[in-house]
Amino acid sequence: MKSNKDAFRDYLQLEKKYSVHTVNAYLNDIEFFETFNRVNFEQESIEKVNYGQIRSWIVSLVDQNLSNVSVNRKMASLKSFYKFLLKTKQIEVSPMLKHKALKTPKIVQIPFSEKELTDLMQQVGSPVGFEEIRDKLVVDLFYTTGMRRAELIHLMMRNVDLSSNIVKVLGKRNKERIIPVLPIIADQINLYLKERSALDEIVDDDYFFISKKGLKLSESFVYRLINSYFSRVSEKVKKSPHVLRHTFATHLLNNGADLNSVKELLGHSSLASTQVYTHNSLAELKKVYGDAHPRNK
């Protein structure tokens, strides 16, 4: 018979469709709590804990200088586990029932300006050779599609359809979505594919983006690439693929795109997730309003 943890793993993987990385993070949090509970309360089973024991773990984590964000993530793992035990009738009441997340500061992502994007493209000019052409395409795909870093890294050759100018990406919880590709980007893709086909050896042939050695790109490489490119034109502290995704959404909204369309392009499951991008658009809207209204003349 499977243990509750093993059954929980299957539930996360098969029903919730979480990635292997996310599943392992949840289970690691639960195992850390098990260890804490065993050492401090001499209790092997965490199925029968009370909130006081969980609260003691929170205090211990804070004493270890973990951020509130990290503590909340661990609590979210526990909450999901006990919710699963409730669902499978292993327990009658969740010990997390009255838990409230620790307060965390709201982090406002500052997108790149349209001028910064224009300046960067002027500096890059016309790239030459496989790596330069690939790197510019990485930047342009982030900015013109809003895809996530993991989605770009795992973009497959078979999911790039230039006959229809679309790409298919695999998002969070293994949800597929189709994103249109601008004609100018399709031209860049053709140029990249020509250079790609001339490489001496391709190991990870199924993946669209590869290194000069024919290997799939790493997350750290893509982060460094974006940081390096935008360091040329921006003094913003954070220069990352996620900021480019944020920029994509903000610029679309600033130029009249409706929230639902942006939601679909980003692959969000709810409008609430997309609304975090509207604060910059509101600022732009206020400017347009102020410039255009007769009473402000």
Side-chain angles (χ1 to χ4, degrees):
M1 184 177 177
K2 285 184 178 179
S3 68
N4 284 328
K5 276 198 306 182
D6 287 339
F8 182 54
R9 179 193 292 274
D10 291 345
Y11 168 73
L12 294 177
Q13 288 179 332
L14 303 176
E15 290 193 39
K16 302 296 284 184
K17 306 290 186 184
Y18 287 169
S19 68
V20 173
H21 175 78
T22 301
V23 172
N24 287 339
Y26 273 53
L27 293 173
N28 285 339
D29 291 337
I30 291 166
E31 287 173 6
F32 281 134
F33 179 55
E34 276 185 325
T35 302
F36 175 85
N37 207 48
R38 190 181 307 118
V39 171
N40 292 276
F41 298 101
E42 298 181 354
Q43 188 177 7
E44 291 294 328
S45 172
I46 61 169
E47 283 81 353
K48 299 177 181 179
V49 302
N50 57 54
Y51 185 64
Q53 291 165 269
I54 295 172
R55 186 70 188 169
S56 294
W57 191 38
I58 294 173
V59 172
S60 171
L61 294 172
V62 172
D63 286 344
Q64 295 171 46
N65 293 322
L66 260 72
S67 69
N68 285 5
V69 172
S70 296
V71 174
N72 285 343
R73 186 185 64 76
K74 293 181 183 299
M75 293 308 110
S77 299
L78 278 192
K79 191 171 184 178
S80 293
F81 179 62
Y82 288 117
K83 188 176 180 181
F84 169 74
L85 294 182
L86 273 174
K87 185 176 182 179
T88 55
K89 303 189 186 308
Q90 303 296 311
I91 59 174
E92 294 182 359
V93 180
S94 169
M96 297 289 289
L97 185 63
K98 296 182 179 180
H99 173 73
K100 292 183 179 180
L102 302 182
K103 289 184 178 179
T104 56
K106 288 187 177 179
I107 300 173
V108 177
Q109 296 281 1
I110 302 175
F112 300 116
S113 67
E114 291 187 35
K115 183 180 184 304
E116 285 173 326
L117 266 299
T118 301
D119 289 348
L120 178 61
M121 289 303 109
Q122 287 177 346
Q123 282 195 27
V124 171
S126 299
V128 177
F130 171 75
E131 290 181 306
E132 285 187 9
I133 290 169
R134 177 204 60 200
D135 293 353
K136 184 176 185 295
L137 180 57
V138 166
V139 175
D140 277 336
L141 262 188
F142 273 134
Y143 178 55
T144 61
T145 67
M147 65 175 68
R148 300 176 177 94
R149 175 170 55 173
E151 293 169 346
L152 181 134
I153 289 170
H154 293 96
L155 180 63
M156 310 304 282
M157 287 287 289
R158 64 178 179 273
N159 290 334
V160 177
D161 182 359
L162 292 180
S163 64
S164 303
N165 278 5
I166 58 172
V167 294
K168 185 190 294 182
V169 297
L170 193 63
K172 288 184 176 180
R173 302 185 187 181
N174 291 326
K175 288 170 60 178
E176 283 189 345
R177 76 178 185 284
I178 293 173
I179 309 175
V181 172
L182 298 174
I184 191 171
I185 303 302
D187 291 342
Q188 289 187 48
I189 289 174
N190 274 319
L191 184 60
Y192 165 73
L193 289 175
K194 182 180 178 181
E195 294 289 333
R196 185 184 185 278
S197 65
L199 292 176
D200 294 333
E201 181 182 9
I202 300 179
V203 179
D204 294 324
D205 194 37
D206 290 338
Y207 290 93
F208 182 76
F209 282 113
I210 54 176
S211 69
K212 200 169 185 178
K213 295 181 179 179
L215 301 171
K216 182 184 76 168
L217 300 184
S218 69
E219 290 196 0
S220 59
F221 172 85
V222 174
Y223 181 90
R224 290 196 306 271
L225 167 62
I226 298 302
N227 190 282
S228 172
Y229 259 62
F230 281 90
S231 292
R232 307 179 191 182
V233 295
S234 177
E235 294 183 358
K236 290 180 174 65
V237 174
K238 191 167 185 183
K239 299 178 278 288
S240 69
H242 186 71
V243 173
L244 256 184
R245 176 172 161 85
H246 185 85
T247 302
F248 162 81
T250 302
H251 288 184
L252 281 181
L253 291 166
N254 283 350
N255 285 280
D258 69 275
L259 202 59
N260 264 311
S261 298
V262 177
K263 165 184 169 290
E264 294 301 317
L265 288 167
L266 291 171
H268 286 159
S269 56
S270 70
L271 272 178
S273 300
T274 315
Q275 283 170 338
V276 300
Y277 299 104
T278 60
H279 69 280
N280 293 295
S281 302
L282 182 59
E284 181 71 14
L285 190 62
K286 285 180 178 177
K287 181 180 182 300
V288 171
Y289 171 71
D291 291 345
H293 201 282
R295 291 293 295 271
N296 204 37
K297 301 298 183 186

